[in-house]
Amino acid sequence: MTLRHELAVWLFADWVGVLGWQEGQLQFAYRADWLARDDARPLSHSLPLQVEPFGDAG
């Protein structure tokens, strides 16, 4: 059994992405359905809306 290290990220009532631990790094990715919405907003200026996952800078 493989243990998954993932956390659902919500913005109010909307599931917007997943924060996870993969290959020794933190990663965040927005969900495709969130990115497709007309009212989608980024979580912060440092996490702009994009398809590619964000990796751990450190």
Side-chain angles (χ1 to χ4, degrees), residues 14-32:
D14 297 308
W15 183 17
V16 300
V18 175
L19 178 67
W21 181 259
Q22 186 173 8
E23 298 176 11
Q25 292 189 23
L26 279 175
Q27 293 186 342
F28 172 76
Y30 286 106
R31 289 173 41 95

Side-chain angles (χ1 to χ4, degrees), residues 22-54:
Q22 186 173 8
E23 298 176 11
Q25 292 189 23
L26 279 175
Q27 293 186 342
F28 172 76
Y30 286 106
R31 289 173 41 95
D33 59 334
W34 177 250
L35 292 172
R37 290 177 48 159
D38 290 336
D39 62 344
R41 293 178 174 249
L43 292 174
S44 74
H45 291 291
S46 61
L47 293 171
L49 295 175
Q50 66 181 43
V51 173
E52 299 81 19
F54 295 90

